[in-house]
């Protein structure tokens, strides 16, 4: 399993690359309906990568902000989506909600596996 430092670095690098590629190809992403949906999906990946980066940064520093991290990462992703097309904002929000649900489910599974079972008397 990757440590918080390396995960933070990789997620930041992928965030920068994904955001740069989205901005480079924004005219292409806005050219058709299917590519507009793809633009929203790439923006939701930006949300996931930024959420991972901020979460690992907080873990390294020992601080927690709760939902503030999610709201900030979503705001950045929605702003990035708005530079491509208006429909990208909606699809980004929907894809991000789905990704956030799946990350929450994964986190719950991993947490339940790592906790030892309590003995019942």
């Amino acid at each position: 399993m990757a440590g918080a430092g390396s995960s933070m670095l990789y997620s930041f690098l992928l965030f920068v690359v994904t955001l740069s590629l989205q901005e480079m190809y924004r005219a292409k992403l806005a050219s058709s309906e299917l590519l507009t949906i793809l633009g929203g999906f790439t923006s939701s990946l930006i949300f996931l990568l930024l959420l991972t980066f901020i979460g690992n940064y907080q873990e390294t520093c020992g601080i927690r902000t709760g939902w503030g991290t999610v709201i900030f990462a979503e705001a950045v992703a929605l702003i990035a989506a708005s530079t491509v097309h208006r429909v990208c904002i909606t699809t980004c929000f929907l894809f991000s909600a789905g990704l956030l649900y799946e990350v929450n489910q994964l986190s719950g599974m991993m947490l339940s596996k790592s906790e030892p079972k309590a003995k019942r008397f």
Side-chain angles (χ1 to χ4, degrees), residues 1-11 56:
M1 191 166 188
S6 62
S7 178
M8 181 172 60
L9 176 67
Y10 294 144
S11 63
N56 285 322

Side-chain angles (χ1 to χ4, degrees), residues 8-90:
M8 181 172 60
L9 176 67
Y10 294 144
S11 63
F12 180 72
L13 290 175
L14 284 171
F15 166 76
V16 170
V17 168
T18 307
L19 183 62
S20 300
L21 287 172
Q22 180 177 338
E23 291 304 313
M24 283 174 47
Y25 293 106
R26 69 178 167 191
K28 179 73 173 167
L29 289 171
S31 65
S32 73
E33 293 177 4
L34 190 60
L35 289 176
T36 303
I37 294 171
L38 180 67
F41 180 72
T42 58
S43 295
S44 69
L45 291 178
I46 288 172
F47 161 73
L48 183 65
L49 292 168
L50 188 60
L51 185 66
T52 304
F53 170 73
I54 295 171
N56 285 322
Y57 177 76
Q58 288 178 345
E59 186 177 331
T60 303
C61 294
I63 56 174
R64 296 280 177 198
T65 59
W67 284 101
T69 304
V70 175
I71 293 170
F72 177 74
E74 184 67 26
V76 170
L78 291 175
I79 290 169
S82 71
T83 63
V84 176
H85 195 274
R86 294 183 308 219
V87 176
C88 287
I89 300 170
T90 306

